[in-house]
Amino acid sequence: MARVPAAVRNAMQHIRVPRGHRSRRRAPETTVLAPQRNPWLRALGLITVVVLGAWLGLLVVGNVRVPVGPMNTTMTLRPSFTGGTKINVSPLGALELDSHIAPVRLDVNVDQLDPDRAQALVDHPERISGLQDEVARDVTRGTADLAVRSCVAVVTGATALGLLVYRRPRRALAAGGLALALLGASGGTAYATWNPDSVLEPRFSGLLSSAPSLVGDARSIVTEFDVYQKELARLVTNVTKLYDATSTLPAYQPDPSTIRVLHVSDIHLNPAAWKIIASLVEQYQVDVIVDTGDTMDHGTAAENGFLDPIEDLGAPYVWVRGNHDSRVTQRYLEDLKNVHVLDDGRARTIAGLRFAGMGDPQFTPDRSGKAGAEMSQELAGARLASALRDHRAAGRPVDVAVVHEPSAAREVDGTVPLVLAGHLHRQDTEVMEYGTRLRVEGSTGGSGLRAVEGEHPDPIQASILYFDRDTRRLQAWDAIELGGLGLTTAEVSRHLPEENQPGATPSPASPSPSTS
């Protein structure tokens, strides 16, 4: 093939080819695609707009003012991970109820007491009998108004924020519709999980924690709290009385037929515990104190002087040995007046209740774990269970068993109505397989000096147990929790055994008490 000279090739490149004679074959074109947004990010952004807009809407307009009985209240829905109802009674404190499980919480703020309506109740006490129906109507009306206003609030808030973010009406309306659907789903969940009995076990904070009589004593809880409307009316009535007394809380008047037991545990050499215990004994008019061990930290003779204030606490002191308490500690306590040391299954009748206990078989002040520790606890519990059966066979059954570790307590299931324990530094309760109730107390010393080891201080915990004097069965208990080192918070929550809930079949009574 002949070679084309370079000059000819250069000339041919400058010749313009007519349009009609150009080759129809075109060079391939490169298509540039516009970047596509991740659909998951778009959905996440829309959900964020919906939730934030709905929350802002509720903050701005999602509340209603409702008169409830003699009080003016404000009801509000708030986003929440746990749900429930919070009744703020300023300046006295708050009551929290586990009323429902949903991503919204109902806040009820008691703004003020209406003087005219309150005076009408004072002048005409017979109207209190109809207060429950009035309160039920007020709450129903207020809830309906709140539902309508909340719907408007979430739709308006989500739509407005959607329009601001997207600047497209269709997308903004979609945000408003999703917000309404979200509120509807939350309301459905709250309705499905609604627990009207939650008012039986409110948690008090602020000054109200000093007034457990707000919901009555142990006996009146069982006899007077029949249905939810009556329970709510009683709360409203008592809050009215608190307001009428301004800053002076009513004295806690104990029922003469109720035995009050203060359960403490795991003091761990915290001297502040004695002042707290003395205050609770006076405030609740306690008949007997039960300490489930670990009063000391190392169990040395040098620590024994720490125990001297027990003699002046104002109530008999029942004690069992914990794994931080030595035999030296136990012998010192046996010589103190007003102290009753329980060990080896021996029983004592104190303040109308018969107690029996077993000291902890382990002594581990260094917090070390020993081989066979669990087995030793089970053996100690089995020995106590055998002693309890012997007492019952002799016609002198025990009302309350006392140990330190819950693993030992489980061995007495079925031999006694109630067993008290500690060791875990947290409160817990359960009814075991054969019907014995296990009540575990937290640390009344806030875990002692070890409280400074962690980032957050451990709370100070104790309980008031209410027993019927005739049957000697547990009627109710108040779980008390105070803020730990450097904190000044306080909370009291009342609890009822299942058999004492309204409508439940009463449990059989124990035989008449014996003396020892």
Side-chain angles (χ1 to χ4, degrees):
M1 177 181 290
R3 297 174 64 90
V4 179
V8 176
R9 289 201 306 270
N10 294 335
M12 290 178 66
Q13 290 177 358
H14 291 82
I15 298 175
R16 298 179 59 88
V17 181
R19 184 179 301 271
H21 295 280
R22 285 183 181 175
S23 173
R24 294 186 178 180
R25 187 176 179 180
R26 298 186 178 183
E29 297 179 356
T30 301
T31 303
V32 180
L33 299 177
Q36 297 292 322
R37 293 185 61 186
N38 189 322
W40 292 105
L41 290 178
R42 294 177 62 186
L44 180 61
L46 181 59
I47 292 174
T48 302
V49 169
V50 168
V51 173
L52 183 58
W55 178 63
L56 291 174
L58 287 175
L59 283 180
V60 176
V61 294
N63 58 74
V64 294
R65 291 184 60 84
V66 182
V68 177
M71 295 178 296
N72 295 323
T73 69
T74 301
M75 294 185 178
T76 311
L77 286 181
R78 289 285 182 260
S80 170
F81 289 108
T82 58
T85 299
K86 184 175 183 180
I87 304 174
N88 297 299
V89 191
S90 178
L92 301 175
L95 298 85
E96 295 186 31
L97 312 176
D98 294 326
S99 57
H100 63 276
I101 301 173
V104 289
R105 184 186 73 196
L106 175 61
D107 283 357
V108 181
N109 293 309
V110 179
D111 300 323
Q112 61 181 5
L113 183 70
D114 185 278
D116 296 332
R117 297 199 301 271
Q119 188 63 43
L121 283 177
V122 175
D123 295 339
H124 303 281
E126 68 277 3
R127 294 185 182 180
I128 294 180
S129 60
L131 183 60
Q132 65 188 62
D133 296 328
E134 179 185 349
V135 168
R137 289 193 301 269
D138 292 342
V139 171
T140 301
R141 184 174 63 253
T143 304
D145 293 345
L146 180 61
V148 173
R149 183 177 285 263
S150 297
C151 289
V152 174
V154 299
V155 170
T156 302
T159 302
L161 186 59
L163 191 60
L164 181 65
V165 172
Y166 297 112
R167 301 183 184 278
R168 294 169 60 184
R170 182 176 297 180
R171 186 67 63 85
L173 290 175
L178 285 175
L180 183 60
L182 178 62
L183 181 63
S186 301
T189 304
Y191 180 80
T193 59
W194 181 252
N195 177 25
D197 293 332
S198 61
V199 76
L200 288 170
E201 299 184 355
R203 296 186 300 275
F204 302 99
S205 60
L207 291 177
L208 288 181
S209 62
S210 301
S213 57
L214 182 68
V215 289
D217 54 40
R219 180 176 292 274
S220 66
I221 289 176
V222 180
T223 58
E224 297 181 21
F225 279 41
D226 299 322
V227 294
Y228 178 62
Q229 288 87 348
K230 290 183 180 180
E231 296 155 5
L232 185 57
R234 184 174 176 84
L235 284 174
V236 171
T237 303
N238 281 285
V239 170
T240 301
K241 293 177 181 178
L242 287 176
Y243 263 93
D244 190 50
T246 60
S247 61
T248 303
L249 296 175
Y252 187 62
Q253 299 296 331
D255 188 332
S257 66
T258 300
I259 302 173
R260 287 162 169 75
V261 175
L262 171 60
H263 184 194
V264 301
S265 191
D266 296 86
I267 293 174
H268 286 288
L269 283 180
N270 186 347
W274 301 132
K275 294 182 180 180
I276 294 171
I277 292 173
S279 175
L280 292 174
V281 167
E282 180 180 2
Q283 178 180 340
Y284 286 86
Q285 299 191 19
V286 166
D287 297 296
V288 57
I289 306 166
V290 176
D291 184 343
T292 46
D294 275 5
T295 313
M296 304 301 232
D297 218 19
H298 299 90
T300 63
E303 297 172 314
N304 286 343
F306 171 77
L307 302 169
D308 292 342
I310 292 178
E311 294 185 321
D312 301 317
L313 291 178
Y317 200 88
V318 177
W319 183 86
V320 294
R321 188 178 65 252
N323 60 293
H324 282 256
D325 305 315
S326 65
R327 296 280 181 174
V328 173
T329 303
Q330 180 164 317
R331 287 192 292 270
Y332 188 84
L333 278 166
E334 288 173 340
D335 292 334
L336 294 181
K337 66 178 182 181
N338 219 24
V339 176
H340 306 271
V341 174
L342 301 179
D343 200 4
D344 299 322
R346 293 190 298 270
R348 301 288 298 273
T349 299
I350 306 157
L353 291 174
R354 191 162 177 80
F355 297 89
M358 180 71 67
D360 197 301
Q362 298 285 319
F363 178 52
T364 54
D366 57 354
R367 309 181 209 171
S368 61
K370 295 184 178 179
E374 188 68 21
M375 182 178 294
S376 69
Q377 294 293 339
E378 293 173 356
L379 288 174
R383 289 175 53 205
L384 177 58
S386 177
L388 293 173
R389 286 190 289 268
D390 292 342
H391 291 307
R392 185 167 56 188
R396 304 166 71 185
V398 170
D399 304 309
V400 183
V402 187
V403 297
H404 178 64
E405 292 204 23
S407 54
R410 296 186 182 282
E411 299 301 314
V412 306
D413 187 15
T415 63
V416 67
L418 175 67
V419 56
L420 303 180
H423 185 66
L424 301 182
H425 291 209
R426 58 178 172 80
Q427 293 179 333
D428 193 18
T429 185
E430 66 171 289
V431 177
M432 295 184 287
E433 182 179 1
Y434 298 108
T436 295
R437 181 178 297 276
L438 169 60
R439 173 66 185 162
V440 181
E441 190 53 74
S443 173
T444 311
S447 299
L449 295 178
R450 72 183 66 181
V452 302
E453 296 176 356
E455 181 180 355
H456 302 289
D458 290 343
I460 294 171
Q461 296 178 318
S463 297
I464 303 292
L465 312 178
Y466 302 93
F467 292 83
D468 184 275
R469 188 172 294 277
D470 297 326
T471 65
R472 294 156 5 253
R473 288 299 181 98
L474 182 67
Q475 298 296 303
W477 70 91
D478 287 341
I480 301 168
E481 181 172 306
L482 308 176
L485 186 65
L487 302 179
T488 57
T489 59
E491 183 178 282
V492 180
S493 56
R494 174 152 292 178
H495 304 266
L496 294 177
E498 292 77 5
E499 62 269 22
N500 287 341
Q501 297 283 354
T505 302
S507 58
S510 301
S512 300
S514 305
T515 58
S516 62

